Amino acid sequence: MIKFFFQNWMPWIYTSVDGHQHLHMTHMVNPHRVLEVSTNGNCRVAYETTNDRSVFSWLLDYDVHGGPPVVFVPANMSKSSHAYYMGILHYFSYVNATKGPVAYTNLKLYRHFAFKFSADPPFRIFSVSDEIYLPSSYHNHELPVMQTVAFISGFCLSKGDLYLSYGVGDLESRVLVMSLNEFDNLFSGSVKRLPRRYGDTVET
């Protein structure tokens, strides 16, 4: 058994064919590394699959990290009638922008995408969504370099609706609510990014 430091780990419960429940963690998204956590906190690498380049598209060129806990979508709520797991991944970059006479440097920009993976071992990722839009028009006047920050920290499925909690500007908490059907529309197959505008600068 190996002990790891928890950071950007994504917990979820897997029920095996014998009915036993197992605590799993998505330790890494690319490749998709799944750990099994024992009752004493020790972990072992249970599965690891390499992502298909056609699924991850240009995300393969970025340092991709995990996010909030994974949700399970049962077969009776799935468009394909097949159960699956769904998580949120992100990467970040630094951008510069100007607003009138004021120049901002090193604005931290997070980009979030959902991903789906199989409900059965080895839990291969089979789809990545377009970028998730997070309303974040909020300004941190004391720390202007944080004014572009919007980071998803919670993910929950309840009665057909998905709840995404996220922080804005390191000062405010918000919750985005979308129906599962509406959220499913983000899986266009193109992994599209949203254009971002800050002052006089457009970051794409």
Side-chain angles (χ1 to χ4, degrees):
M1 294 293 185
I2 304 172
K3 285 190 175 181
F4 292 90
F5 175 70
F6 284 74
Q7 184 176 13
N8 293 139
W9 287 25
M10 308 168 68
W12 41 281
I13 300 296
Y14 168 64
T15 303
S16 55
V17 292
D18 59 8
H20 288 92
Q21 291 189 324
H22 306 265
L23 175 59
H24 283 357
M25 295 274 187
T26 289
H27 172 246
M28 185 180 295
V29 179
N30 185 34
H32 190 212
R33 180 180 296 161
V34 176
L35 307 181
E36 183 170 1
V37 184
S38 68
T39 55
N40 63 7
N42 287 339
C43 304
R44 70 177 184 89
V45 178
Y47 305 96
E48 183 168 316
T49 53
T50 301
N51 296 313
D52 190 325
R53 180 171 289 271
S54 65
V55 173
F56 258 61
S57 183
W58 50 265
L59 283 173
L60 291 170
D61 299 325
Y62 291 86
D63 186 15
V64 174
H65 298 271
V70 167
V71 302
F72 177 70
V73 179
N76 63 353
M77 297 178 66
S78 167
K79 283 186 176 180
S80 65
S81 298
H82 294 287
Y84 60 87
Y85 290 98
M86 184 161 55
I88 304 292
L89 62 84
H90 76 274
Y91 75 88
F92 68 85
S93 59
Y94 292 96
V95 298
N96 300 324
T98 57
K99 189 172 184 180
V102 181
Y104 298 101
T105 59
N106 292 328
L107 299 177
K108 199 169 188 179
L109 175 64
Y110 288 92
R111 292 186 179 275
H112 297 85
F113 304 79
F115 65 98
K116 297 178 180 180
F117 61 95
S118 171
D120 300 304
F123 307 110
R124 185 178 300 277
I125 294 174
F126 62 87
S127 186
V128 177
S129 76
D130 297 338
E131 184 177 0
I132 300 169
Y133 172 67
L134 300 175
S136 57
S137 56
Y138 188 81
H139 297 286
N140 186 331
H141 298 291
E142 295 182 2
L143 292 172
V145 294
M146 303 303 293
Q147 66 186 15
T148 56
V149 170
F151 185 80
I152 297 176
S153 56
F155 191 38
C156 175
L157 174 63
S158 177
K159 298 179 180 180
D161 289 325
L162 286 164
Y163 295 79
L164 295 89
S165 60
Y166 65 102
V168 177
D170 273 12
L171 283 177
E172 187 171 300
S173 297
R174 299 183 181 180
V175 177
L176 175 65
V177 183
M178 300 176 68
S179 70
L180 180 58
N181 286 336
E182 183 181 8
F183 198 80
D184 237 359
N185 292 332
L186 292 173
F187 289 86
S188 68
S190 301
V191 194
K192 299 174 183 175
R193 290 187 299 174
L194 296 168
R196 302 298 182 94
R197 180 179 295 276
Y198 302 112
D200 303 324
T201 299
V202 175
E203 200 280 344
T204 59

